[in-house]
Amino acid sequence: MTKIGIITGSTRPGRNSLQVAQWVKDIADQRGDAEYEVVDLAEFKLPMYAEPISAAYSQDYKTPEAIPWSKKIAELDGYVFICPEYNHGVTSALKNAIDYLYPEWNNKAAGIVSYGSSGGVRAAEALRVILAELQIATVRTHPAMSLFTDFVKMSEFKPAGLHTKSVTTLLDQVNAWTNAFEPLRNKE
């Protein structure tokens, strides 16, 4: 069965990304079209990237924490990134986690669910550029939540009902593209 990872985009205490990721998973689990899993960046405890050779050229990882991260990302067929916006961009934790790997990401599809004071749209657009370099195709549908209207006191996630339909469409697209890319992932 297709495996889709829902990747949290923040590791800080009091973060909202885990709430959003669980909400997406709850919607996804009702579908029965793939196996969905929340992949919490905080659990991997990745230090700042300091590998001696770029992952594009070597997977002989020297950072011990990179090995379980590599295995997790490699076993997934597609992704949904939960993307909070920090200072008009992606979080340093998310960018750092992405930078650790290269072939593990290739030939896969992803959706982006963002949030922030302006719905996280600037961070989501920055993430699209980053993911393109890793040969990840991002789908068009993009649920964007506001810290002011979809969160109580900017911390308790209470999404507007319209976002459920948007997440459903995003999952339709991620699954279709993930399945379309399967021959590229399995060409060995």
Side-chain angles (χ1 to χ4, degrees):
M1 183 171 249
T2 301
K3 295 171 109 177
I4 306 293
I6 303 166
I7 300 174
T8 63
S10 178
T11 58
R12 71 174 180 81
R15 64 202 162 117
N16 292 322
S17 63
L18 200 51
Q19 293 178 73
V20 179
Q22 190 56 57
W23 171 72
V24 170
K25 185 178 185 309
D26 291 346
I27 294 168
D29 284 346
Q30 296 174 30
R31 300 168 54 89
D33 58 352
E35 182 182 324
Y36 297 92
E37 172 185 358
V38 172
V39 179
D40 187 0
L41 286 184
E43 293 178 5
F44 289 88
K45 301 187 185 324
L46 291 165
M48 287 304 294
Y49 181 77
E51 288 289 324
I53 300 173
S54 167
Y57 304 106
S58 172
Q59 287 70 59
D60 183 22
Y61 301 115
K62 303 301 180 199
T63 307
E65 295 87 351
I67 296 165
W69 177 239
S70 169
K71 287 179 182 173
K72 175 51 64 186
I73 295 306
E75 77 181 27
L76 298 167
D77 301 306
Y79 314 101
V80 175
F81 288 90
I82 307 303
C83 184
E85 185 170 295
Y86 286 20
N87 300 316
H88 292 202
V90 299
T91 67
S92 57
L94 181 56
K95 180 66 167 83
N96 186 56
I98 290 169
D99 287 347
Y100 260 96
L101 311 175
Y102 186 79
E104 297 90 340
W105 297 115
N106 296 171
N107 300 314
K108 297 180 182 179
I112 299 170
V113 176
S114 67
Y115 63 90
S117 60
S118 297
V121 296
R122 294 168 293 217
E125 290 306 309
L127 182 57
R128 286 182 194 280
V129 172
I130 295 164
L131 296 179
E133 176 59 23
L134 298 167
Q135 300 179 54
I136 298 174
T138 56
V139 301
R140 179 181 183 271
T141 299
H142 168 205
M145 270 70 74
S146 168
L147 279 173
F148 303 115
T149 60
D150 295 302
F151 292 84
V152 176
K153 297 183 181 177
M154 291 192 220
S155 62
E156 182 186 353
F157 188 50
K158 298 283 186 186
L162 64 99
H163 295 305
T164 300
K165 184 176 191 280
S166 185
V167 168
T168 299
T169 302
L170 173 137
L171 293 170
D172 289 343
Q173 294 171 357
V174 168
N175 274 288
W177 287 28
T178 294
N179 292 329
F181 289 142
E182 183 176 8
L184 293 173
R185 289 190 306 277
N186 299 315
K187 65 180 177 183
E188 280 107 42

